[in-house]
């Protein structure tokens, strides 16, 4: 009596002919069935058609909760730094925090995302920012007209002073 009407993968066009046949069969047995049974059969047919009409959906990715409060260790893991550095960022007012009780401070995920979005764009590694990998230019002859100060002293003024102190 309970015939299955298509699977979840069938389209609505494939299910509709079967629906018509099942509805005719239900109409023919209508006098012999109890009202609750008729309602149940109609609900089953309605559900089968609605399932066939909906496209197969991929499982949704879990929603990111922007109110989640992260520990300093978790924030440090995201930023690639220690928890102590996260505390220092918060003390300097660069990273907002939310008090949790009397003892703990947490960072909301949305505040962390805002902090990361507003970081300056670095086009170089700060580790090598003051280093020049090229050799300093050769010293010009004393008699030539193109005697110019060395480029290395212009890049780092302290270097010229340090060099002068060594040779005294």
């Amino acid at each position: 009596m309970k015939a299955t009407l298509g699977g979840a993968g069938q389209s609505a066009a494939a299910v509709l002919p079967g629906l018509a046949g099942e509805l005719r069969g239900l109409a023919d047995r209508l006098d012999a069935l109890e009202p609750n049974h008729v309602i149940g059969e109609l609900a089953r047919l309605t559900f089968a058609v609605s399932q066939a009409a909906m496209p197969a959906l991929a499982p949704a990715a879990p929603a990111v909760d922007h109110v989640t409060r992260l520990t300093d260790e978790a924030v440090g893991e995201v930023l690639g730094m220690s928890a102590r550095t996260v505390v220092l960022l918060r003390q300097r007012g660069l990273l907002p925090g939310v008090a949790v009780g009397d003892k703990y401070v947490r960072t909301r995920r949305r505040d962390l995302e805002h902090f990361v979005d507003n970081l300056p764009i670095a086009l170089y590694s700060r580790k090598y920012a003051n280093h020049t990998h090229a050799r300093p230019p050769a010293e010009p002859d004393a008699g030539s007209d193109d005697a110019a100060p060395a480029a290395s002293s212009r890049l780092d003024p302290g270097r010229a002073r340090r060099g002068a102190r060594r040779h005294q």
Side-chain angles (χ1 to χ4, degrees), residues 127-147:
K127 180 178 180 181
Y128 299 108
N130 293 328
H131 296 222
T132 57
H133 295 289
R135 292 182 179 175
E139 293 293 325
D141 294 335
S144 69
D145 294 331
D146 56 347

Side-chain angles (χ1 to χ4, degrees), residues 16 21 41 49 69 73:
L16 289 178
E41 285 294 314
V49 171
R69 292 177 185 95
E73 290 79 17

Side-chain angles (χ1 to χ4, degrees), residues 61-68 109-110 113:
V64 175
D65 184 15
H66 293 287
V67 185
T68 302
R109 183 177 298 276
R110 67 174 173 219
E113 290 172 358

Side-chain angles (χ1 to χ4, degrees), residues 37-58:
H37 192 250
V38 172
I39 292 172
E41 285 294 314
L42 287 173
R44 183 184 62 78
L45 293 173
T46 304
F47 179 75
V49 171
S50 66
Q51 288 297 318
M54 281 196 240
L57 300 175

Side-chain angles (χ1 to χ4, degrees), residues 130 151-162:
N130 293 328
S152 61
S153 64
R154 278 186 283 146
L155 293 176
D156 184 9
R159 184 174 181 180
R161 288 191 297 270
R162 287 190 300 273

Side-chain angles (χ1 to χ4, degrees), residues 69 97-107:
R69 292 177 185 95
V98 177
V100 178
D102 293 336
K103 186 175 179 181
Y104 300 104
V105 178
R106 299 289 186 254
T107 303

